[in-house]
Amino acid sequence: MKLAILSCGPNAYSTRRLKEAALQRGHDVKVLNTLKFAIDLQQGIPDLYYRQKVLSSYDAVLPRIGASITYYGTAVVRQFQEMGVFCANTAHGISNSRDKLRSLQILSRHHIGIPRTTFVRDRKDVIPAIERVGGAPVVIKLIEGTQGIGVLLAESMKAAESIIELLQSQKQNVLIQKFVAESKGKDIRAFVVGDRVVAAMRRVAQGQEFRSNVHRGGIAEPVELDERYRETAVRATQILGLEVAGVDMLEGKNGP
């Protein structure tokens, strides 16, 4: 099989491991820089150019689209789809999962366990919104962000108000979320491929840090998930329209 990995970071660990695994299985694999594509459109003939040359044919694409290039990256993935190339994740699925508000809106309707969340723009709505999610402490999140960037814990109502006011003054959209105290400093990440969890780990924050992301110094340990956690991870992946996903779950007192 001829396989393309879309990535702007050929030396990134995840990209290198995907390439190594593909080669071990006998596939012809190339890492293609997502930003080096040109999308060509004419009646009935969607096409792609790569580094000014017509792209040769590929059997499948593994998108590794960074958060900073979501719009262009998903456009490239969508073009591969229109050309009939299998994409491990579709542009639609990537867009759904990249936007925290959109993903929570979708998951909420399908009865997936999520922390109570609110999204407001008017300053007068901030305090009532915080009270609706259970009062301080609350977690404040930028709608787009990865590796724990843009995730803040406000210990008091006053601190929450000040943080939200500052972020909104910088034209940032923020979510206000109930702080799940029993899961402070730890979470579960389940790796889903298709209809099953292929691996899972518990991430534990270090020191005073409440974010468990490995990029924030968190430590990861393998974990065996029970059926409820496995089912939640697979359902969340499928509901968002993904085939391959890392699903983060808090260990709440009422389950994932």
Side-chain angles (χ1 to χ4, degrees):
M1 182 185 289
K2 191 174 179 184
L3 178 66
I5 300 173
L6 302 186
S7 173
C8 293
N11 296 318
Y13 174 76
S14 57
T15 303
R16 285 190 289 109
R17 284 293 295 121
L18 285 169
K19 183 176 180 180
E20 287 167 14
L23 291 172
Q24 285 168 5
R25 285 159 178 77
H27 298 303
D28 177 6
V29 56
K30 287 188 178 177
V31 178
L32 304 178
N33 187 326
T34 317
L35 295 177
K36 301 299 182 183
F37 283 94
I39 296 170
D40 270 34
L41 301 164
Q42 56 181 308
Q43 185 174 345
I45 315 173
D47 210 351
L48 277 167
Y49 279 70
Y50 186 69
R51 297 185 185 274
Q52 298 88 47
K53 294 180 181 177
V54 177
L55 185 72
S56 57
S57 61
Y58 283 84
D59 298 305
V61 169
L62 280 175
R64 299 289 297 158
I65 306 299
S68 63
I69 62 161
T70 298
Y71 185 83
Y72 196 81
T74 51
V76 171
V77 173
R78 194 179 307 113
Q79 188 76 344
F80 271 108
Q81 291 172 235
E82 298 303 327
M83 292 164 62
V85 180
F86 172 81
C87 297
N89 278 329
T90 65
H92 177 70
I94 295 167
S95 297
N96 281 344
S97 61
R98 190 54 55 80
D99 183 308
K100 290 186 175 73
L101 177 61
R102 185 190 303 183
S103 63
L104 288 169
Q105 286 175 306
I106 297 167
L107 294 175
S108 169
R109 183 164 64 88
H110 287 86
H111 301 284
I112 296 288
I114 58 173
R116 183 150 187 186
T117 304
T118 184
F119 176 60
V120 297
R121 284 299 297 266
D122 194 310
R123 187 176 173 184
K124 293 174 185 173
D125 293 330
V126 169
I127 290 177
I130 294 169
E131 289 171 345
R132 284 200 305 278
V133 301
V138 292
V139 176
I140 298 164
K141 292 182 178 180
L142 296 182
I143 279 183
E144 291 190 7
T146 60
Q147 302 174 356
I149 297 166
V151 179
L152 303 158
L153 177 62
E155 300 279 4
S156 68
M157 190 76 85
K158 193 68 183 169
E161 228 186 328
S162 298
I163 292 168
I164 293 165
E165 186 178 350
L166 172 63
L167 292 172
Q168 288 184 337
S169 73
Q170 299 302 307
K171 308 297 184 209
Q172 296 285 353
N173 290 318
V174 298
L175 298 177
I176 302 165
Q177 214 164 52
K178 177 182 173 65
F179 177 55
V180 182
E182 64 269 27
S183 191
K184 182 180 181 180
K186 66 180 190 296
D187 70 2
I188 297 285
R189 172 165 288 185
F191 293 98
V192 177
V193 179
D195 60 358
R196 67 191 183 101
V197 173
V198 296
M201 63 182 177
R202 179 179 285 111
R203 305 183 302 178
V204 182
Q206 300 299 294
Q208 298 301 306
E209 178 61 73
F210 86 100
R211 296 168 296 181
S212 59
N213 305 72
V214 173
H215 283 84
R216 308 256 78 80
I219 291 174
E221 57 191 26
V223 65
E224 283 291 329
L225 298 184
D226 66 30
E227 182 58 31
R228 191 173 178 192
Y229 278 79
R230 288 199 302 271
E231 182 187 343
T232 298
V234 172
R235 282 192 65 222
T237 300
Q238 293 176 341
I239 287 164
L240 291 179
L242 296 164
E243 288 288 335
V244 182
V247 182
D248 295 346
M249 295 175 283
L250 300 177
E251 296 175 272
K253 58 179 180 287
N254 297 317

